[in-house]
Amino acid sequence: LLQGIVRLKVEHLVRWRRDRLADAEVMRAHAPVMEKLRHCLQGTRDNRLLEELRGYFEALIQQHGYHNVLVVDTGGSIHFRAGATAVDRLTGEIEAAVREAWQHRRATLSDIHLSDAYPQPHLALVAPVFDRQDPVGAVIFLIDARRNLFPLVDSWPTPSQSGESLLVRRDVVGHVAVVPAV
């Protein structure tokens, strides 16, 4: 029974991750949005264009439960944001996820991390933006792990007073980091 529950939990988390990455790839395949993003990131300061993009991203936030959306250029400058958090700079974890998205030319999802700018456990879903072959920026969807991921980990498929799940990962120096699902 326990192996079946573990398999179910892993499948549920893998599906959640795949669905987030698919969200970003669907947005990247939406040609009108990508064209507007390219114009915005290449210096067009059209307020109507920015408001259209902000409306699009606000709708994605509502539909998919993202906490915040940032649009950044290749220098890491935030061109605009939508959502609840006033993040004013990128963290090292997010910058690494952006570089990976540009390198592999596809959406990426960062590890769970904390930062001064956003102290709650969160992940960054990154959708790279290209003009032909050259990266011009990225769209970053911040995901509040407490609202969107930890409930999946905390749930248990059968009534149990002692069943629990933990997210763990081996870090670079070989220690195990336990991510609290507070």
Side-chain angles (χ1 to χ4, degrees):
L1 177 68
L2 189 56
Q3 285 181 341
I5 291 172
V6 168
R7 200 171 18 259
L8 248 167
K9 295 297 265 181
V10 168
E11 288 172 9
H12 201 180
L13 291 170
V14 167
R15 189 175 329 113
W16 179 87
R17 183 179 187 282
R18 185 180 57 233
D19 289 349
R20 299 299 68 77
L21 291 169
D23 288 348
E25 290 300 336
V26 165
M27 187 221 48
R28 282 177 24 98
H30 195 280
V33 169
M34 294 309 289
E35 187 61 29
K36 290 174 185 174
L37 282 168
R38 279 190 287 277
H39 284 307
C40 172
L41 289 164
Q42 293 173 329
T44 302
R45 296 303 306 168
D46 179 346
N47 288 334
R48 185 181 55 76
L49 176 71
L50 292 174
E51 287 307 312
E52 286 178 26
L53 285 169
R54 188 169 284 110
Y56 175 79
F57 290 122
E58 291 286 349
L60 285 179
I61 288 169
Q62 293 299 315
Q63 291 171 352
H64 299 284
Y66 296 116
H67 192 71
N68 201 16
V69 176
L70 308 172
V71 175
V72 300
D73 62 21
T74 55
S77 296
I78 299 172
H79 279 247
F80 74 90
R81 60 183 63 79
T85 304
V87 175
D88 60 351
R89 61 184 169 77
L90 301 184
T91 63
E93 292 86 355
I94 295 173
E95 288 174 345
V98 170
R99 283 191 303 274
E100 181 182 340
W102 287 332
Q103 179 183 357
H104 297 291
R105 305 186 66 77
R106 67 175 188 275
T108 62
L109 189 62
S110 75
D111 284 340
I112 299 170
H113 60 279
L114 306 171
S115 68
D116 292 338
Y118 190 58
Q120 298 79 20
H122 64 283
L123 302 94
L125 172 63
V126 179
V129 179
F130 291 91
D131 185 11
R132 295 181 184 83
Q133 297 300 313
D134 300 320
V136 293
V139 179
I140 302 164
F141 300 88
L142 292 181
I143 301 169
D144 184 337
R146 296 171 307 160
R147 286 187 20 213
N148 295 52
L149 180 59
F150 292 166
L152 300 177
V153 175
D154 286 341
S155 66
W156 199 256
T158 61
S160 173
Q161 292 183 359
S162 62
E164 64 182 345
S165 301
L166 297 173
L167 288 176
V168 296
R169 71 179 169 106
R170 185 179 305 270
D171 67 16
V172 177
V173 291
H175 294 90
V176 173
V178 177
V179 179
V182 178

